[in-house]
Amino acid sequence: MVLEVAVKGLGRPSGPEFRTVPLGGPQELVQGPPPVPGPPPPRQPPAQPPPILEPRPAQGPFAQGLATQGRLPAQGQPLIRGQLGTQGLPVQGQPPAPGTRHGQGAVAPRGRLLVVAALVAALAGGAAGVAGARLSGVSEPAPVAALPRVAPAPSSGLTGLSATAARVLPSVVSVEAGSRGGSGFVVDGSGHILTNAHVVGASGMATVVLNDGRRLSARVVGADDDEDLAVLVADRPGELTPATLGRSSDLSVGDRVLAIGSPLGLSGTVTAGIVSALDREVRLGGAQRTAVQTDASINPGNSGGPLVNDRGEVVGVNTAIAAGRGGGNIGIGFAIPIDRAAPIAERLMRN
């Protein structure tokens, strides 16, 4: 084995600056090519071992503090390689003292550095993951925003035509008489119901359906075909709610009105309009009569139902419509004024 030891300079390993010393055998100088015959070279002095540097004592307040804690030797004492005093690593060649890294005491500084390095690596990895997700454009979907809605209306009770309809609907019934049908309304607490004569026809019995779906049997008390009015009486009057009768003479053109009934069998239907005309001449029953004209939608099945003002008072009995060639409502309906219908109903009930 050959060991190359640098003696001086920082050049390449050739020339007189480097020498090769065989280990374990006699030392001989190997220097360049074989010597040329001539005078013998001058004898080289034996190589001297490198000087042993004495340890420099620690100086300064920091070194004094370490010496005081036993972590550095006091000034003038040599620093043994691997020695950390009474704390830290053991002296070279001695077994580890209890309480050190290999014992059950404090953790060596290197272990602490490893723990800190692991924490830094974890934080760096998390930050790199977030940055990579942003760069790749991968992001969580944004939550779907709710569509804008108005705030709920305060529950202060019904007003306007809504309150009017709610007040009248319990008094309105559907009338079924054989193959015929229409609407009607309760006029008193004795169970009498007013409707059109053409709704019941020649039938002596009928079924009335209340607004809540209950069905009651009713008997036809009397009918006036010329006035197209008829009166029924239910067998359980205590379950009925009478309507409030108003005065048709108080109506004016342009007043708001509601038509309530069962058009095409749709019970409890409410339509709104105005009074279009008063004392309109139309043919009702078998003769010409005056009627209240309205643009509230009236269709087959509305016959016999009430026409009410905005106070919920009955001002007419819906009876007829003007229809085009295709049939159906065209915005022209007629109601018998309650000022004329009420006396006829009273007469039919007496007789």
Side-chain angles (χ1 to χ4, degrees):
M1 180 177 182
V2 178
L3 175 64
E4 292 184 351
V5 180
V7 175
K8 63 177 179 178
L10 296 174
R12 296 174 59 82
S14 63
E17 294 183 351
F18 281 82
R19 63 182 177 178
T20 303
V21 181
L23 298 180
Q27 297 184 6
E28 60 177 325
L29 180 62
V30 180
Q31 185 175 10
V36 181
R43 185 176 181 179
Q44 298 290 337
Q48 300 293 330
I52 299 176
L53 299 179
E54 293 295 334
R56 297 179 61 183
Q59 298 179 359
F62 176 73
Q64 295 177 1
L66 294 178
T68 303
Q69 299 175 7
R71 299 175 61 182
L72 285 179
Q75 184 173 1
Q77 296 181 0
L79 177 62
I80 301 176
R81 184 178 179 183
Q83 179 180 356
L84 290 178
T86 58
Q87 300 178 3
L89 295 176
V91 178
Q92 185 175 2
Q94 297 181 2
T100 61
R101 177 181 181 87
H102 301 286
Q104 300 178 353
V107 180
R110 185 178 179 183
R112 297 176 184 173
L113 292 177
L114 291 178
V115 173
V116 173
L119 292 177
V120 172
L123 294 176
V130 173
R134 291 183 178 178
L135 291 177
S136 61
V138 178
S139 60
E140 295 183 359
V144 179
L147 297 178
R149 302 283 299 276
V150 297
S155 57
S156 57
L158 299 176
T159 59
L161 295 180
S162 299
T164 300
R167 184 163 56 251
V168 178
L169 277 170
S171 304
V172 182
V173 300
S174 298
V175 179
E176 300 173 359
S179 60
R180 297 172 178 266
S183 304
F185 57 96
V186 183
V187 293
D188 62 11
S190 300
H192 290 98
I193 299 169
L194 182 60
T195 185
N196 285 134
H198 72 264
V199 170
V200 295
S203 299
M205 297 294 298
T207 300
V208 295
V209 183
L210 307 186
N211 185 59
D212 58 7
R214 288 176 297 164
R215 303 173 67 87
L216 302 177
S217 297
R219 176 174 57 87
V220 178
V221 174
D224 187 331
D225 292 334
D226 291 338
E227 297 290 345
D228 199 10
L229 290 171
V231 175
L232 292 72
V233 60
D235 57 359
R236 287 181 288 178
E239 300 183 21
L240 302 177
T241 302
T244 301
L245 305 184
R247 296 182 179 274
S248 55
S249 58
D250 293 339
L251 288 175
S252 300
V253 174
D255 286 351
R256 292 187 303 176
V257 289
L258 297 178
I260 305 176
S262 304
L264 306 177
L266 304 174
S267 61
T269 298
V270 180
T271 57
I274 62 170
V275 175
S276 303
L278 296 171
D279 300 325
R280 178 72 70 188
E281 288 282 342
V282 293
R283 185 173 184 84
L284 297 176
Q288 288 290 116
R289 297 286 187 269
T290 59
V292 177
Q293 181 181 331
T294 179
D295 66 348
S297 181
I298 297 176
N299 289 285
N302 274 118
S303 294
L307 183 72
V308 302
N309 59 21
D310 56 3
R311 296 186 300 273
E313 300 167 349
V314 179
V315 294
V317 181
N318 300 318
T319 302
I321 59 173
R325 292 183 178 180
N329 178 268
I330 59 174
I332 301 175
F334 303 100
I336 301 172
I338 196 64
D339 289 353
R340 186 170 76 244
I344 296 173
E346 293 172 355
R347 174 173 55 86
L348 293 175
M349 287 187 287
R350 285 195 301 267
N351 297 333

